Structures are given as structure tokens and as C-alpha cells.
Amino acid sequence: MFFCSLMQLSAKKAKEEPLPPQEEDYVADPSDAVKLTLPERRETAYFSGINPEILSMVEKGSPESLRSALSGLRRSQDEMSESEQVLHYIAVSIMQMCWKSQNFSEETSGQLVKNNYTGAISSSKNGIYDAFLDPKDFLSYALPALVLAVSETRNDYYDEAEVALNKALSINPNSVFAHYLLGILYTRKSDYKAANLHFGSASDMAPDCFECMYAFASSFMKLSDPAAAFNLTERLLSKYPQNKDLLKLGAESAFASKDSANAELYVSRVLQIEPENSYYLLFRARILVEKGEYIRAASLLDAYARRDSSSRDYLVLRFDVQKNWNKNISAATATIENALILYPDDPEIILKAAQLASENGTRIAGQGGEELADKILKSDPENFDALQIKIRSMVTAKKWNEAYAASSELIKREKLPSSALFTHIKLCLSAGRKAEAWQYASKLYAENASDEEVVQAYIEVLVSTERRTEAARLISQLLPSSSAKMKSFLYYERSFLSNGETAILADLRSSLTANPRNKDALFRLYQIYFNKKEYRKAQYYLKQVVALSPKDESLLLLSQNLDNLLKN
């Protein structure tokens, strides 16, 4: 009974008390809020228990900073925490993978710890870019890119590595090894300007690091600044005088800077260390050819031929010696034809063949100069050398209008070399455009009266345009102090000003005394005796012209006709 009464009382009381408001109708009063003090949220890092200075030195990653970091970490492996062992392994790995010139060796046990940091290094050593899934710190961004220092077999990770290394540098812009790796990456992506900037940054921060300085010097070669490369290389050689890589860079940069003396010096030093190095044996021959020391170059080429007579560079140099020193056009033709068979798509070889064909009115491997030049122009329509060779070939074939039109277009270019103008002047004279020839020749002479080729073009136009008094005066003024080759040219041109056959013949013979290979003088003597019907004397001079251009079809035809006349 009591229990029932109690229940009735509770129900009655519940009816009398108002119900609490529904949840969606409740509005909190700000004064009811209770302020709670929360602990500061902090990022937990794997290396947080290590002295920040030591971690910073590892991130910098120069040989000097790595040694300092390792000194700070060096103690019994048993006394190191796991993260200290891993950081020790990272420092040793950066040193060994990036800075091989240090020949660094130190025992480390960090590789036994299996985590993302050690895994990235292990993958790099195996040529694999192993990016962190969720990178948090500098090392997690930078370590996978160590593969750049040890492998060149893959390039499918370059874009990802570029982003990661730039992120690493945004965290620590003073990292030498990150700048160095980014320099390698940009070099492989052919962004040589960016590579140079990063190698320069690495070198500024670690001026005693051989790899950084060497990479910085080398990067200037890719920027077509061999002088800067040579200057840096010489500074490095004062510290590393026997370093083969530096000696080779010194040779290459000096040669590219037109410094033949230093190029030969450094090549000789390389050959002292590596006497069997075929590349530098051939390189030395190349330097000697550039210097015009053909006898020494020929002996080196003979030595090289005993090892490899089909090398592309050997054939090019052998051709140059045969053409420019031996003047053996038949041998030069055979050499360049062999080169064309072995290297049919090589632009330099095709150009040399085209030039030889153009100069001698001959065919190389069944192709004339114009055809060979067209092979280059098909893939490189603006190639200046090929265009000039094509114009000369058209002149030889007496295609005056085509040659003049092509040459007129060519000389409109900016920074035009004088050789193009000399060709155009000769073309104008051959085509009867003497006023135009005078316009260009007089302008060139006014600008550079000391240049021998300019003087020759000017005198040739003076003679051709009947400015006889001025031509004779200038020739008389130049003859006493001229070189043998120039004397030969001057006597030849004076023969057109001389009066009477005796004076003309005397000038032509003086021309040949100064230079027995002057084809123009030889050919004019042939013409004089042929016109006089003194065919034996004409044949004597024509044979010498043919000997200088044995493949020239027009000369061979003249020789055949003369032989027939003599037989009859």
C-alpha cells in the first residue's frame, strides 16, 4: 500500500512541475561558459631528442659540417639512441654518396634501424627514388634525391625530386648537399642556367668542397662561357694539381676559349698521367691542327690509327691534314667518303664533304656540293655554313641568278661574318654587278683596311672596275712587306694592270715563285699559252691546276680536250 501511495505521489508531483525546454529550443548563455586551459600543441619529430645544432650540421651536408656533426655524435653505438644511430648513418651516407673525393670511411649501425630515413638511403644506393608518403621535415624531403649522386639510369622521378628538393630548401636554404643535388637534377633536365645557380650557391657555402667547385666550373661550359670555366679550373688546379678531371676540364675549356697554348699544356699533363688515353691523344692532334702544326699532328694521327682508324674524330682530323697541309685532294676525298659511309648523318662530316666538293667542283660519294649542303638545310634551314656552300656550288655551276638571289638573302642577316660578304663580292663580279661589288668592297675596306682578306677583296674589285691607278698604287705599297701568299695574290692582280705580254708573264711567274700552288696564276698562264696555240706550255700549267683539283670535272674536260689537240 505504501509503495502504491509513493508512486501516486511521484506521478502527481511530475504533473505539477513544468517540463524542461526541448534541445532544439535551448540557447546557451555566454556567461555560463567555462574557460578551459589546454596544453600547447607541439609537432613531435623523430630527431627531436638530438641537439639541434648537430641536426642542422647534417642538414647543411657539406664535408666540413658533416665531420663536425659526426664528432658530436661519435660515441659507443650502445650508448646512442635509435634516432642518433639513424642520424649518424645519414651523415655518413651523405658524405660517401655526394663527396667521394673525401674517401671517407666510418663504421655506422644506423642502417640496422628500419624506417623511412634508412629506407630512402638504401633505395638511393640501389638507383631507386623512394619518396616519403608523408614528409614532415627537411631530411624526409631531401634524402630520396641522393639517388642523383649515384645513378643516371632513370629519369622518371625528376619532376617529383625537383619539387621535394625545393621544399627542402624552403625549410633550410643553407643546405649544401640539397643545392648540389638540385644542380645535378637541373643539369640532367638541360636547365643549365638553374644548374649553374645551384652549383654556385653550394660552392659559396662550401668553397673547400671539390665536387661543388668542380660542378660549378663545369656548368659554365654548358652555358657557352668557357673562359669562366677555365678561370675556376685554374684556381682549383692550384690546390689539386694532379687531378685528372680538372686537367681535362682545363684542356677543354682552354681549347673552347681559343687558348691553344694552355689547351696543349693541360692535354700533355693528362697524357703524362694516362699515356694510353686515346681520346686525349686525338685531342692533342686536334689542337695541333688548329694551330697549323700539321707535321706534329700527322705523327699523332699515325699513332692513333694503329689503335682505331675508323673513329669519327680521327677521320675528320685526317681529312683536315690531307686537305690543308698535304694538299692531297684525292686522299682527302677518299677519307671524307669513308667518313660519310660510317657516319652518314653527321652534320660536320657532311659539311666538310660539301665544302670540298664546292671548292673543287667535284662530287663526293656521288654528290655535288649543292646536294650535300641541301642535306644539312633539310633539317636546319638556317645553317649559315651550308647556305654559303650551296651558294658557292651554284657559282661553280654558273647558276648566276640563283646564286645571286640566295646570297642577297644571306647577307641581310645581322652579325654577318665577312666571309659571306667576300663570297657575295666575287659573285657580283662574276655576274657583272660591278657597282654592287664596289659598294660592299669599299665599305669593308673603309672599316678594316688592315685585314688581309678585306684588302684582297678591295684590290680585286679595284682591278675589275678599272680603277687602275688606285689599284697599282696600293699593290706597290703592299708588295715589299707582304707575306708570300699575299705577294702571290698581288702579283697575280698586277698582271691585269701590266702592259704587254712580257710584263704580264713576268708578274704571273713572280706570283708562282711566291706561291707555286696559286691556281689562279697557273690557270691564267694556261689560258695565255692556249690562246697562243702553244699547247705544250698550256698543258704544263693545266696539269698543275688539275693536280690541285683532281676531281674537278670542268678541269678534267679541258685537260682531255687539250690532250686531243696535242694528239692531232
Side-chain angles (χ1 to χ4, degrees), residues 260 285-298 321 324-325:
S260 298
R286 182 177 159 203
I287 294 167
L288 292 172
V289 167
E290 288 285 328
K291 293 171 68 177
E293 297 183 21
Y294 293 113
I295 295 176
R296 293 173 64 199
V321 170
N324 299 319
W325 178 52

Short mmCIF file of all heavy atoms in Angstrom, two decimals, residues 260 285-298 321 324-325:
data_model
loop_
_atom_site.label_atom_id
_atom_site.label_comp_id
_atom_site.label_asym_id
_atom_site.label_seq_id
_atom_site.Cartn_x
_atom_site.Cartn_y
_atom_site.Cartn_z
N SER A 260 95.02 27.94 -77.33
CA SER A 260 95.66 26.69 -77.75
C SER A 260 96.86 26.33 -76.88
O SER A 260 97.11 25.14 -76.63
CB SER A 260 96.09 26.79 -79.21
OG SER A 260 94.98 26.98 -80.05
N ALA A 285 96.12 16.06 -81.09
CA ALA A 285 96.23 16.22 -82.55
C ALA A 285 95.29 17.32 -83.04
O ALA A 285 95.64 18.11 -83.92
CB ALA A 285 95.92 14.90 -83.24
N ARG A 286 94.11 17.35 -82.45
CA ARG A 286 93.12 18.37 -82.83
C ARG A 286 93.64 19.78 -82.53
O ARG A 286 93.50 20.71 -83.34
CB ARG A 286 91.84 18.10 -82.05
CG ARG A 286 90.68 19.01 -82.32
CD ARG A 286 89.50 18.51 -81.52
NE ARG A 286 88.48 19.52 -81.30
CZ ARG A 286 87.61 19.49 -80.31
NH1 ARG A 286 87.65 18.50 -79.43
NH2 ARG A 286 86.71 20.43 -80.18
N ILE A 287 94.28 19.95 -81.38
CA ILE A 287 94.84 21.25 -81.01
C ILE A 287 95.94 21.64 -82.00
O ILE A 287 96.02 22.79 -82.45
CB ILE A 287 95.40 21.20 -79.57
CG1 ILE A 287 94.26 21.01 -78.57
CG2 ILE A 287 96.17 22.48 -79.25
CD1 ILE A 287 94.73 20.64 -77.17
N LEU A 288 96.79 20.68 -82.34
CA LEU A 288 97.89 20.97 -83.27
C LEU A 288 97.37 21.34 -84.65
O LEU A 288 97.94 22.21 -85.32
CB LEU A 288 98.82 19.75 -83.35
CG LEU A 288 99.60 19.45 -82.06
CD1 LEU A 288 100.33 18.12 -82.17
CD2 LEU A 288 100.59 20.57 -81.74
N VAL A 289 96.29 20.70 -85.08
CA VAL A 289 95.68 21.07 -86.37
C VAL A 289 95.17 22.50 -86.31
O VAL A 289 95.35 23.29 -87.24
CB VAL A 289 94.53 20.09 -86.72
CG1 VAL A 289 93.70 20.64 -87.87
CG2 VAL A 289 95.11 18.73 -87.10
N GLU A 290 94.52 22.86 -85.19
CA GLU A 290 94.02 24.23 -85.01
C GLU A 290 95.17 25.23 -85.06
O GLU A 290 95.02 26.34 -85.57
CB GLU A 290 93.29 24.35 -83.68
CG GLU A 290 91.93 23.67 -83.63
CD GLU A 290 90.86 24.44 -84.39
OE1 GLU A 290 90.93 25.68 -84.42
OE2 GLU A 290 89.97 23.79 -84.96
N LYS A 291 96.33 24.85 -84.52
CA LYS A 291 97.50 25.74 -84.51
C LYS A 291 98.25 25.72 -85.85
O LYS A 291 99.19 26.49 -86.04
CB LYS A 291 98.45 25.33 -83.39
CG LYS A 291 97.89 25.56 -81.99
CD LYS A 291 98.77 24.94 -80.92
CE LYS A 291 100.10 25.64 -80.79
NZ LYS A 291 100.92 25.07 -79.69
N GLY A 292 97.85 24.84 -86.75
CA GLY A 292 98.52 24.73 -88.04
C GLY A 292 99.83 23.96 -87.97
O GLY A 292 100.62 24.00 -88.92
N GLU A 293 100.05 23.22 -86.88
CA GLU A 293 101.28 22.42 -86.74
C GLU A 293 101.00 21.01 -87.27
O GLU A 293 100.87 20.04 -86.52
CB GLU A 293 101.73 22.40 -85.28
CG GLU A 293 102.10 23.78 -84.75
CD GLU A 293 102.62 23.75 -83.32
OE1 GLU A 293 103.08 22.69 -82.88
OE2 GLU A 293 102.57 24.80 -82.66
N TYR A 294 100.89 20.93 -88.60
CA TYR A 294 100.41 19.71 -89.24
C TYR A 294 101.38 18.54 -89.14
O TYR A 294 100.95 17.38 -89.08
CB TYR A 294 100.08 20.00 -90.70
CG TYR A 294 98.90 20.93 -90.88
CD1 TYR A 294 99.05 22.21 -91.40
CD2 TYR A 294 97.62 20.51 -90.52
CE1 TYR A 294 97.97 23.05 -91.57
CE2 TYR A 294 96.52 21.36 -90.68
CZ TYR A 294 96.70 22.62 -91.20
OH TYR A 294 95.63 23.45 -91.36
N ILE A 295 102.68 18.81 -89.12
CA ILE A 295 103.65 17.70 -89.07
C ILE A 295 103.51 16.95 -87.75
O ILE A 295 103.44 15.71 -87.72
CB ILE A 295 105.09 18.24 -89.24
CG1 ILE A 295 105.27 18.83 -90.64
CG2 ILE A 295 106.10 17.12 -89.00
CD1 ILE A 295 106.63 19.46 -90.88
N ARG A 296 103.46 17.69 -86.64
CA ARG A 296 103.29 17.05 -85.34
C ARG A 296 101.92 16.37 -85.25
O ARG A 296 101.79 15.28 -84.68
CB ARG A 296 103.43 18.08 -84.22
CG ARG A 296 104.84 18.66 -84.08
CD ARG A 296 104.86 19.79 -83.07
NE ARG A 296 104.53 19.32 -81.73
CZ ARG A 296 104.13 20.11 -80.74
NH1 ARG A 296 103.97 21.41 -80.96
NH2 ARG A 296 103.87 19.61 -79.55
N ALA A 297 100.89 17.02 -85.80
CA ALA A 297 99.55 16.44 -85.77
C ALA A 297 99.52 15.12 -86.55
O ALA A 297 98.92 14.13 -86.11
CB ALA A 297 98.54 17.41 -86.34
N ALA A 298 100.20 15.10 -87.71
CA ALA A 298 100.18 13.90 -88.55
C ALA A 298 100.83 12.72 -87.84
O ALA A 298 100.35 11.58 -87.94
CB ALA A 298 100.90 14.19 -89.87
N VAL A 321 94.15 17.42 -92.28
CA VAL A 321 95.59 17.40 -92.57
C VAL A 321 95.83 17.16 -94.06
O VAL A 321 96.65 17.84 -94.70
CB VAL A 321 96.30 16.32 -91.72
CG1 VAL A 321 97.74 16.11 -92.19
CG2 VAL A 321 96.28 16.71 -90.25
N ASN A 324 94.45 20.46 -96.02
CA ASN A 324 95.05 21.77 -95.77
C ASN A 324 96.58 21.76 -95.72
O ASN A 324 97.20 22.80 -95.93
CB ASN A 324 94.51 22.33 -94.45
CG ASN A 324 93.01 22.51 -94.49
OD1 ASN A 324 92.46 22.95 -95.49
ND2 ASN A 324 92.33 22.17 -93.40
N TRP A 325 97.18 20.60 -95.44
CA TRP A 325 98.65 20.56 -95.37
C TRP A 325 99.22 19.80 -96.55
O TRP A 325 99.99 20.33 -97.35
CB TRP A 325 99.09 19.93 -94.06
CG TRP A 325 100.59 19.81 -93.93
CD1 TRP A 325 101.51 20.81 -94.12
CD2 TRP A 325 101.33 18.62 -93.65
NE1 TRP A 325 102.79 20.33 -93.95
CE2 TRP A 325 102.70 18.98 -93.65
CE3 TRP A 325 100.98 17.31 -93.37
CZ2 TRP A 325 103.70 18.05 -93.38
CZ3 TRP A 325 101.98 16.39 -93.10
CH2 TRP A 325 103.33 16.76 -93.11
#
